Amino acid sequence: MTAVWYVVGFAFAAVSFVFVTIGAAWLISHRNRGDVHKGVPYESGIDTYGDTHGRFGLSFYIYALLFVAFDIEVIFIYLWAIVFRDLMATGFVSMVVFVAILLLGLAYAWRKGVLTWR
Amino acid sequence: MTVMSRAWGRLTLPGKVIFTAIPLLLALGVALALVVGILGGPIVELASQYGAVLRFLVAATIILVITIPTAFLIIFMEMKIIAFMNLRVGPDRVGPWGTLLSVVHGLKVLMKEDFTPSRADPLIFTLAPVVVYGSSVMTLVVLPFAPGLFAQDFNIGLLYFFAMGGLAVVGLLMAGWSSFNKYSLLGGLRSAAQMVSYEIPLTLSVAGLLLLAGTMSVNQLVANQSGWFTNWYVFQQPLGFLIFFIAVTAEANRTPFDLTEADSEIVAGFATEYSGMRFGFFFFAEYVNVFIVSAMTVALFFGGWNAPFPFPALAILLDPGSLGIWLLLGIAIVPLVGTLVLSLPFLLTRSAMPAWQAIVLGFVLFNVAVVGLLGVWAFVSFDWVAGLLWFLAKTYVFVFTFVWMRATLPRVRIDQLMGFAWKWLMPAALLNLFVTAGAILVVGR
């Protein structure tokens, strides 16, 4: 239980540290209002064109999807690794089967060419 | 002096108030420390009552405060070492050898205008650096600096480390999305794709080590590597170490993999629209991250705070308590005699130097000598001092390696980057995991 409070309290401390610093910077820094051009997005000096939050590459999405599958696998592998000395051969075989199923998915993605950036 | 007065003139009214308040607050702090020193008894009693709370407060304060000098030191190292590697002189104007230049950079960023673009989402735009910086310092909670010198020892320490480190992706995406700028959006998405891809080999590479150790507590992992340096996990997990180091470079957005900022392609990536202290926190977090990943590499693979060989236990030669009246005499006489003895060379050889200057120099030298002797004494008699020194020495070797890579390696292309993570590093990490498991199975323990 202490551990949880440590994390919560530390998150609070870190966030308040950042806000206090930004607040202090806001108080001491020099400001002016500027004109309309000051607030325009910086796109190498040209006025912004088209929709900024428009369409972007599908591959970002696929990588995120693969990540979710494999990152959950990692959690299982960690827990398995801790207790491996109690399981030995049984544990080894079951983890080989588990990873093989996931690797099939990876092989499929590889074959379909989504791992190659386009 | 004109620089100072001009800077003073540019400050806003609250700025003037704050800058005059800082010395006052410092004086208050000193006064408070004195009061604590005098009223020690009741406070110790109170501390034993709320020991856990007090320990937490001290740990949080220390961790948050040490990130500042750490970042300044690493920024200075980067400027100076890369300059030497390019056969330049590098910073040499502010402070001795330019050592204060990074402090000046920090102050400059603090005093710059902090601007929000008109079409940005102000709330998320402000929260993004908080998340990025928060995620990197949250990982410091589990880092063991020395025996007994850590904020908290979790039994799932390593998992916590990766979980908190992974939160940075959210912050970068928030920055990229809320800036309302195409460069920022591209930078944010690229960084998300990159960090998410390298998270897999990073976490898998350590699984082999967990198999050997059977624990996830970082403190325990470090303690397992005590004794001779051959006990370090890098000798049992060389492939795991290589994968970890490459993946960690990508996670910290360091040079061969710094596509998220890629200043020659997408301006500054997710940080394009940021200015002032909010921009400062992104780079603060980056340099703190360099320290954290070096420290974690040392803790996991290079023995953490363990010395490379077991130290022979040195006995303390002198017990001050047994001296009695001689101790008082020593305290009274030794500074005087030491100062005079150390100022003698100046007095005898530099005839142009006034006597008071020689005596001041002698006093300074005496203090340096006393601090040095105290350091040696602490190194010998407290194992946390020795541990901390070993840990920092090893960590800064890795920080140097990161800087060295920045001076040496060109940036990779994004298709090479992603292909390398998924097609090479991840299978290699799985291979490492199963070879380790098979070896444990064969050896049978």
Side-chain angles (χ1 to χ4, degrees):
Chain A
M1 219 36 219
T2 2
V4 178
W5 286 114
Y6 247 84
V7 174
V8 173
F10 198 77
F12 180 74
V15 168
S16 42
F17 174 71
V18 179
F19 274 122
V20 164
T21 315
I22 290 178
W26 185 79
L27 282 177
I28 66 175
S29 63
H30 197 75
R31 282 187 298 280
N32 67 10
R33 181 102 15 103
D35 56 3
V36 274
H37 300 296
K38 193 173 178 183
V40 168
Y42 173 74
E43 290 180 3
S44 303
I46 303 168
D47 277 355
T48 185
Y49 174 79
D51 185 10
T52 301
H53 294 166
R55 294 160 58 148
F56 46 85
L58 182 67
S59 27
F60 292 115
Y61 169 73
I62 292 174
Y63 281 115
L65 207 62
L66 278 174
F67 164 72
V68 171
F70 279 95
D71 216 33
I72 291 177
E73 174 210 4
V74 165
I75 296 177
F76 285 123
I77 287 185
Y78 271 26
L79 297 181
W80 165 83
I82 300 297
V83 293
F84 181 70
R85 277 155 216 266
D86 302 330
L87 303 173
M88 290 317 245
T90 353
F92 188 76
V93 171
S94 48
M95 188 43 79
V96 165
V97 172
F98 177 62
V99 171
I101 294 170
L102 271 162
L103 280 184
L104 269 182
L106 183 73
Y108 176 73
W110 199 326
R111 187 80 182 78
K112 291 291 266 187
V114 297
L115 296 188
T116 315
W117 186 272
R118 277 169 304 168
Chain B
M1 214 52 227
T2 53
V3 178
M4 290 301 287
S5 62
R6 210 185 301 154
W8 181 255
R10 287 181 67 82
L11 286 175
T12 55
L13 185 66
K16 284 172 181 157
V17 172
I18 286 176
F19 266 108
T20 37
I22 287 172
L24 281 177
L25 282 177
L26 277 179
L28 257 178
V30 171
L32 197 71
L34 283 178
V35 168
V36 167
I38 293 162
L39 301 177
I43 287 174
V44 166
E45 198 175 302
L46 212 69
S48 59
Q49 209 167 353
Y50 299 99
V53 178
L54 202 75
R55 190 178 183 283
F56 164 75
L57 286 178
V58 170
T61 315
I62 287 177
I63 285 176
L64 285 176
V65 168
I66 57 157
T67 55
I68 299 170
T70 306
F72 284 162
L73 180 57
I74 296 175
I75 292 171
F76 172 71
M77 275 175 74
E78 190 153 271
M79 290 189 288
K80 201 70 176 176
I81 291 172
I82 291 182
F84 281 153
M85 286 178 177
N86 294 347
L87 298 182
R88 292 183 283 119
V89 177
D92 66 340
R93 284 290 179 268
V94 192
W97 301 288
T99 35
L100 293 178
L101 186 58
S102 49
V103 180
V104 173
H105 278 173
L107 281 178
K108 182 192 72 181
V109 166
L110 192 72
M111 291 168 70
K112 284 261 177 182
E113 179 177 358
D114 197 354
F115 181 67
T116 313
S118 53
R119 300 189 67 184
D121 182 338
L123 178 66
I124 298 184
F125 195 72
T126 309
L127 279 180
V130 179
V131 173
V132 172
Y133 177 76
S135 85
S136 69
V137 290
M138 289 285 278
T139 54
L140 277 170
V141 171
V142 288
L143 267 187
F145 288 89
L149 200 65
F150 48 85
Q152 184 73 33
D153 184 25
F154 299 155
N155 53 0
I156 53 157
L158 207 52
L159 196 61
Y160 171 85
F161 177 81
F162 291 131
M164 287 300 152
L167 275 183
V169 181
V170 182
L172 298 187
L173 262 181
M174 281 161 71
W177 189 265
S178 66
S179 303
F180 209 82
N181 179 320
K182 294 195 189 78
Y183 291 126
S184 302
L185 183 66
L186 260 181
L189 285 174
R190 269 192 186 190
S191 68
Q194 171 190 334
M195 292 177 81
V196 139
S197 297
Y198 277 85
E199 193 90 18
I200 308 289
L202 173 69
T203 41
L204 274 179
S205 65
V206 183
L209 195 148
L210 293 181
L211 272 173
L212 289 175
T215 173
M216 265 195 273
S217 144
V218 187
N219 221 12
Q220 193 58 47
L221 283 170
V222 172
N224 282 355
Q225 304 174 59
S226 60
W228 284 88
F229 64 90
T230 43
N231 288 350
W232 293 356
Y233 281 130
V234 66
F235 296 107
Q236 296 163 46
Q237 293 278 315
L239 184 60
F241 164 66
L242 268 182
I243 297 166
F244 183 84
F245 192 66
I246 292 171
V248 114
T249 316
E251 282 286 308
N253 292 329
R254 295 296 296 178
T255 276
F257 309 110
D258 67 341
L259 282 110
T260 55
E261 294 155 34
D263 24 10
S264 49
E265 298 161 31
I266 47 172
V267 189
F270 60 88
T272 306
E273 292 289 352
Y274 278 88
S275 58
M277 203 56 221
R278 282 180 284 184
F279 174 81
F281 265 108
F282 279 121
F283 283 83
F284 195 12
E286 179 181 328
Y287 287 101
V288 174
N289 257 335
V290 172
F291 177 79
I292 291 170
V293 297
S294 313
M296 207 56 189
T297 315
V298 166
L300 291 181
F301 292 99
F302 286 87
W305 33 258
N306 289 308
F309 45 86
F311 259 96
L314 293 174
I316 300 171
L317 297 174
L318 203 65
D319 178 21
S322 66
L323 284 175
I325 190 70
W326 294 105
L327 180 68
L328 282 177
L329 264 177
I331 287 173
I333 286 175
V334 164
L336 214 63
V337 174
T339 303
L340 283 178
V341 165
L342 285 172
S343 61
L344 261 186
F346 297 102
L347 282 171
L348 293 180
T349 57
R350 305 284 296 273
S351 53
M353 187 183 272
W356 64 270
Q357 266 186 20
I359 288 177
V360 167
L361 267 174
F363 186 65
V364 169
L365 277 180
F366 171 73
N367 279 302
V368 169
V370 167
V371 169
L373 281 177
L374 268 179
V376 171
W377 172 74
F379 188 86
V380 172
S381 40
F382 296 112
D383 55 349
W384 67 266
V385 175
L388 187 66
L389 286 177
W390 278 116
F391 179 78
L392 287 181
K394 289 179 198 170
T395 303
Y396 276 97
V397 168
F398 277 93
V399 170
F400 175 78
T401 315
F402 279 117
V403 175
W404 187 8
M405 289 201 303
R406 176 153 182 178
T408 313
L409 298 174
R411 187 183 300 142
V412 298
R413 279 202 323 266
I414 188 150
D415 58 325
Q416 297 167 333
L417 175 91
M418 304 301 270
F420 188 58
W422 289 98
K423 293 177 183 169
W424 292 96
L425 286 186
M426 210 197 73
L430 279 176
L431 181 76
N432 178 47
L433 172 70
F434 281 113
V435 168
T436 313
I440 291 178
L441 212 60
V442 169
V443 175
R445 57 178 180 81

